[in-house]
Amino acid sequence: MSAYDKVMLARSKGRPTGAAYIENIFDGFVELHGDRRFADDPAIVGGLALLGNIPVTVIAIEKGTDTKERLRRNFGMPNPEGYRKALRLMKQAEKFQRPVVCFVDTSGAYCGLGAEERGQGQAIAENLMELSTLRTPVISILIGEGGSGGALALALADQVWILENAVYSVISPEGCASILWKDSKKVKEAAECLKLTAQDLEANGVVERVIPEEDFESAFAQIKELLAEALPGLIATPTEELLEARYQRFRKF
């Protein structure tokens, strides 16, 4: 299967969205809304939940499952208020010493005029800065598309996992082809050059784990089991060691 085939699989409408992962992995999810500055962004869903007996903060980029819902969710392209809501929940998790679990699935942050006027770049940069020193464990899981800074804003984590047919890249293959070659027909070549598949990412040390996709029910179960194994160890790690390991994880790139 080519890299671009993987891109098309990552974008396929049949893939579960972030909300499905929350529903199938966690118990007692309570959604929290708003960034306390401008609005509530439906493209990012976040709140409190239980993983077994571990209280966690869960944040997911949500694309929606039908046309009406996708329009409401802006096709999973967050505005600045979405990233600020996510950051508010992360800082709340830090205060109450809850680990953070993020599910990432976006073609990228929304690039509309209103988003730029409200500080899209600053919102993403602020998330990166705060996540780099957030004093609680963070695990991010790429479940579909992981596009550019819009994905990285929720993926500066202690561990980054990816589903077998998900992708993660600094730019879309279409954007890469148009910038480098001024030719949209070179999209497949661009996809190969970007090394955006789960297998490439694991080989290059960008992700710690690739989760098989035999079917999504088994993927939900596997993620739940892996989180139950990983979180206690991260929670028990002294904070300064956790932050140093997170720093070194990204510094090596």
Side-chain angles (χ1 to χ4, degrees), residues 100-102 131 134 136-140 154 156-159 234 246:
V100 177
V101 179
C102 298
L131 270 173
L134 194 75
T136 197
V138 184
I139 293 178
S140 291
L154 296 184
L156 204 157
D158 300 298
Q159 293 186 23
L234 290 172
R246 190 184 304 159

Side-chain angles (χ1 to χ4, degrees), residues 23 28 30 114 118 124 156 166 169 173 184 206 217:
E23 181 181 347
V30 178
R118 296 193 300 278
I124 292 171
L156 204 157
S169 176
S184 61
V206 178
E217 289 299 324

